[in-house]
């Protein structure tokens, strides 16, 4: 009886009515700007033209509540804010980031409240980017694009537009799913863009998935990805999805989406509440090309994060064509931008060990054990389990010149090895080697991350997430950080030269430390 009274009390009824009202309002919102307005945020709309003539929609959330009249990143005298750029996944648009039933779980809103100038991108062909100066969207030529074009045009051109508009030297990139793959590809083939992206945070990262959970469908697409063209044509894929969304009763449409995700990927969706699904699923689908999906199945088939293959060989072809023809891979190990991966332990599309082998050694990875793919957008505890990793990466890197930090280290390296390291063993010396020379990856000079400048007496540090024994010693005034962030002091017999920063300059051999037993 007590339970009945609590559920039927006026306050409980008002709460349920409010929740239902929010769900309905979000589900029926027409666009990104309308959804943001529901929570009292002002959003700008921008259009950027790519080098090959596509017109892409960008959205901007630059103002906290009450800041609407303030000039932000618009020249001298304006309020200066660090810029964050978010990019969506496959078959999506920028709305997926904001269609949450509580604003506390909305990453863009949380970033705005923390003082960032937040931008959200859109791929060519989707709801906000369905226009080109060369081709109409009802032609096959308009839809003749894959991830290659996202990497060569959409992402770099969007970043250039944002930095030009905000007058900022760099931005921080946060991607979800395919939005991470596009960043991996873009940063790997545009070396100079690494100067302009100070940190890359990959949520539910995607690079080379092992395949689909349904064996029949997986075998079919691996045998010949071109079969997708036969099933869906060479224009937009699944364009009828919007029709089914309109004619089906919302709970039935939600059940249909859940069943499809379980069938293809074995996702349960149990971390996303029913109310959240009713609000978000109407914004889940957006247009993209069939070719971009075929590109993914080529990657799955070859187990290689490669460019689109325009000359696919039949699986039973005569001879060994791979001996004479090889599609170029995206050179992801060349990325210099700091990378933070945040992945789900129950995400069937992520094989973190395979992914880390293809990324530079300064990459860090954080697992959310029970999370699936879409949980990084809409899970009930996303603000508690995911956001802290995002905020930490931004605090450490946003607005910092990471390449200058690497140069600072390399500038001192020759002096360090020419100094008193000569009495150390070869194994000792390897602890400060670069990515090309040793097992620990490129170390970063220890700097004041609030100013980006060297601080007296702080020395060097490096992240050793991928190292099995990250507690190797560097020296007094020098520390190595493990994946848990712990720092170690050491004692023993083998000796190292320590490097410290004094008066803003590097001092090599200023003190001694020893390698041996480790103590916290």
């Amino acid at each position: 009886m007590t339970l009945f009274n609590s559920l039927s009390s006026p306050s409980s009824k008002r709460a349920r009515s409010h929740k239902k009202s929010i769900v309905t309002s979000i589900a029926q919102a027409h666009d990104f700007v309308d959804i943001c307005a529901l929570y009292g945020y002002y959003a700008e709309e921008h259009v950027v033209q790519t080098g090959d003539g596509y017109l892409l929609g960008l959205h901007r959330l630059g103002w906290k509540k009450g800041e609407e009249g303030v000039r932000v990143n618009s020249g001298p005298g304006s309020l200066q804010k660090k810029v964050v750029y978010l990019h969506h996944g496959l078959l999506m648009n920028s709305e997926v980031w904001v269609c949450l039933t509580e604003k506390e779980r909305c990453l863009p809103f949380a970033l705005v409240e923390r003082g960032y100038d937040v931008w959200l991108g859109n791929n060519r062909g989707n709801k906000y980017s369905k226009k080109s100066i060369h081709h109409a969207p009802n032609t096959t030529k308009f839809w003749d694009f894959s991830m290659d074009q996202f990497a060569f045009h959409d992402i770099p051109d969007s970043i250039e537009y944002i930095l030009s508009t905000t007058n900022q030297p760099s931005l921080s990139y946060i991607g979800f799913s395919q939005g991470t793959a596009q960043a991996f590809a873009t940063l790997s083939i545009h070396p100079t863009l690494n100067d302009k992206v100070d940190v890359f945070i990959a949520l539910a990262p995607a690079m080379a998935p092992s395949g689909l959970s349904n064996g029949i469908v997986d075998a079919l697409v691996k045998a010949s990805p071109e079969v997708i063209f036969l099933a869906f044509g060479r224009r937009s894929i699944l364009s009828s999805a919007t029709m089914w969304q309109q004619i089906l009763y919302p709970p039935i449409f939600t059940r249909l989406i859940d069943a499809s995700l379980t069938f293809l990927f074995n996702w349960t969706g149990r971390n996303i509440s029913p109310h959240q699904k009713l609000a978000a699923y109407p914004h889940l689908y957006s247009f993209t090309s069939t070719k971009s999906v075929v590109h993914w199945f080529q990657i799955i088939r070859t187990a290689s994060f490669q460019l689109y293959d325009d000359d696919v060989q039949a699986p039973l072809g005569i001879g060994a064509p791979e001996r004479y023809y090889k599609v170029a891979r995206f050179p992801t190990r060349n990325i210099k931008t700091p990378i933070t991966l945040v992945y789900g332990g129950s995400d069937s599309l992520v094989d973190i060990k395979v992914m880390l082998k293809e990324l530079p050694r300064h990459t860090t990875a954080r697992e959310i054990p029970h999370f699936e793919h879409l949980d990084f957008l809409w899970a009930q505890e996303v603000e508690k389990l995911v956001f802290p990793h995002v905020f930490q990466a931004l605090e450490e890197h946003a607005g910092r010149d990471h390449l200058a930090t690497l140069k600072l280290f390399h500038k001192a390296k020759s002096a360090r090895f020419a100094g008193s390291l000569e009495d150390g063993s070869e194994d000792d010396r390897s602890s400060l080697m670069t990515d090309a020379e040793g097992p620990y990856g490129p170390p970063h000079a220890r700097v004041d991350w609030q100013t980006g400048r060297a601080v007296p007496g702080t020395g060097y540090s490096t992240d050793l997430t991928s190292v099995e024994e990250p507690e190797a010693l560097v020296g007094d005034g020098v520390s190595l950080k493990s994946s848990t962030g712990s720092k170690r002091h050491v004692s023993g017999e083998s000796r190292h030269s320590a490097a410290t920063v004094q008066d803003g300059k590097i001092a090599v051999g200023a003190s001694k430390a020893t390698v041996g037993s480790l103590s916290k």
Side-chain angles (χ1 to χ4, degrees):
M1 191 67 175
T2 303
L3 177 62
F4 174 79
N5 290 335
S6 64
L7 292 175
S8 60
S9 65
S11 60
S12 178
K13 289 181 179 180
R14 285 195 298 270
R16 292 198 302 273
S17 177
H18 175 71
K19 173 73 74 173
K20 184 176 181 180
S21 175
I22 288 293
V23 168
T24 302
S25 297
I26 294 174
Q28 295 180 354
H30 290 97
D31 56 25
F32 181 93
V33 174
D34 285 352
I35 298 174
C36 293
L38 291 174
Y39 289 107
Y41 287 96
Y42 170 72
E44 280 186 352
E45 297 180 282
H46 293 252
V47 177
V48 56
Q49 181 176 321
T50 66
D52 58 347
Y54 283 79
L55 304 180
L56 312 180
L58 293 174
H59 293 110
R60 182 187 191 185
L61 289 166
W63 299 266
K64 301 179 184 179
K65 293 180 180 179
E67 281 187 345
E68 290 80 6
V70 177
R71 293 170 57 240
V72 173
N73 287 340
S74 56
S78 63
L79 179 60
Q80 298 298 300
K81 294 186 177 184
K82 297 173 185 176
V83 178
V84 177
Y85 175 66
L86 290 83
H87 204 88
H88 60 78
L90 178 66
L91 291 164
M92 296 179 177
N93 62 53
S94 55
E95 293 172 12
V96 297
W97 293 103
V98 295
C99 56
L100 289 104
T101 53
E102 294 94 20
K103 66 180 179 64
E104 293 79 14
R105 293 189 298 115
C106 178
L107 182 57
F109 296 162
L111 291 171
V112 169
E113 292 302 324
R114 293 176 76 93
Y116 293 97
D117 186 356
V118 181
W119 293 71
L120 302 96
N122 286 284
N123 285 340
R124 63 182 64 197
N126 79 7
K127 175 179 178 177
Y128 297 101
S129 308
K130 205 173 180 181
K131 190 172 179 61
S132 166
I133 63 174
H134 300 303
H135 311 294
N138 60 354
T139 64
T140 302
K141 286 187 175 181
F142 178 91
W143 299 99
D144 185 22
F145 60 81
S146 66
M147 192 152 40
D148 293 2
Q149 284 67 44
F150 300 153
F152 279 98
H153 296 290
D154 291 14
I155 298 298
D157 291 348
S158 295
I159 289 176
E160 291 291 350
Y161 175 90
I162 293 169
L163 294 180
S164 175
T165 302
T166 59
N167 298 301
Q168 296 298 311
S170 66
L171 55 74
S172 305
Y173 185 105
I174 302 176
F176 167 75
S177 190
Q178 182 180 279
T180 70
Q182 293 175 213
F184 289 136
T186 301
L187 293 171
S188 72
I189 60 178
H190 295 280
T192 58
L193 201 63
N194 287 258
D195 296 341
K196 301 174 182 179
V197 179
D198 47 50
V199 64
F200 166 30
I201 303 169
L203 306 180
M207 181 178 286
S210 59
L212 303 178
S213 295
N214 184 275
I216 297 176
V217 179
D218 183 62
L220 183 63
V221 298
K222 284 182 178 178
S224 179
E226 301 291 312
V227 73
I228 304 296
F229 283 131
L230 297 177
F232 298 102
R234 291 185 175 270
R235 297 183 185 179
S236 175
I237 192 170
L238 296 176
S239 55
S240 62
T242 54
M243 177 194 71
W244 290 109
Q245 180 179 322
Q246 294 296 322
I247 64 177
L248 290 177
Y249 182 54
I252 296 177
F253 179 73
T254 298
R255 290 287 186 91
L256 178 62
I257 296 295
D258 279 341
S260 300
L261 296 176
T262 301
F263 176 76
L264 293 174
F265 308 111
N266 198 32
W267 298 340
T268 64
R270 61 169 59 97
N271 296 321
I272 306 174
S273 71
H275 280 105
Q276 181 59 68
K277 292 178 182 180
L278 286 171
Y281 280 6
H283 301 279
L284 176 59
Y285 171 81
S286 198
F287 302 101
T288 194
S289 68
T290 304
K291 186 176 181 179
S292 64
V293 177
V294 170
H295 192 173
W296 270 114
F297 285 122
Q298 289 182 358
I299 291 172
I300 291 172
R301 180 192 180 193
T302 60
S304 172
F305 189 53
Q306 63 183 35
L307 279 74
Y308 185 83
D309 187 356
D310 293 290
D311 188 22
V312 178
Q313 303 292 324
L316 300 178
I318 299 175
E322 65 275 4
R323 292 178 56 190
Y324 312 105
Y325 173 73
K326 182 176 177 62
V327 179
R329 297 163 60 97
F330 289 109
T332 49
R333 292 178 184 173
N334 295 345
I335 299 173
K336 299 298 186 292
T337 295
I339 302 172
T340 295
L341 310 178
V342 189
Y343 66 99
S346 300
D347 189 348
S348 61
L349 294 181
V350 177
D351 187 331
I352 195 64
K353 292 182 179 179
V354 172
M355 187 175 296
L356 286 174
K357 289 179 180 179
E358 300 301 322
L359 292 173
R361 294 188 179 184
H362 59 254
T363 301
T364 62
R366 301 288 182 265
E367 179 184 1
I368 312 300
H370 61 287
F371 260 38
E372 298 175 339
H373 207 67
L374 292 176
D375 294 344
F376 286 88
L377 291 175
W378 304 321
Q380 296 181 69
E381 296 187 309
V382 67
E383 79 282 10
K384 298 177 182 177
L385 300 177
V386 177
F387 289 10
H389 295 299
V390 175
F391 299 152
Q392 179 183 357
L394 291 174
E395 289 168 2
E396 290 180 356
H397 300 290
R400 318 301 184 210
D401 187 349
H402 57 277
L403 295 183
T405 300
L406 287 175
K407 291 177 183 177
L408 181 65
F409 171 81
H410 293 308
K411 183 178 180 181
K413 188 179 68 171
S414 58
R416 181 166 61 251
F417 282 100
S420 57
L421 273 179
E422 59 191 17
D423 60 344
S425 69
E426 189 66 28
D427 290 338
D428 294 340
R429 293 189 184 96
S430 70
S431 65
L432 276 179
M433 287 183 176
T434 63
D435 184 47
E437 298 171 319
Y440 298 118
H444 296 271
R446 177 63 65 84
V447 298
D448 180 353
W449 294 116
Q450 298 300 318
T451 64
R453 298 178 179 176
V455 175
T458 53
Y460 295 98
S461 70
T462 182
D463 192 303
L464 303 180
T465 300
S466 62
V467 181
E468 292 183 359
E469 295 190 20
E471 298 85 6
L473 170 68
V474 182
D476 186 20
V478 183
S479 63
L480 296 182
K481 183 176 65 177
S482 71
S483 60
T484 60
S486 62
K487 298 178 182 178
R488 306 273 183 143
H489 296 288
V490 298
S491 62
E493 296 182 355
S494 298
R495 301 185 68 78
H496 270 285
S497 170
T500 59
V501 179
Q502 298 176 355
D503 299 326
K505 296 182 179 180
I506 296 171
V508 179
S511 58
K512 293 281 186 177
T514 56
V515 179
S517 62
L518 300 172
S519 61
K520 292 185 178 180

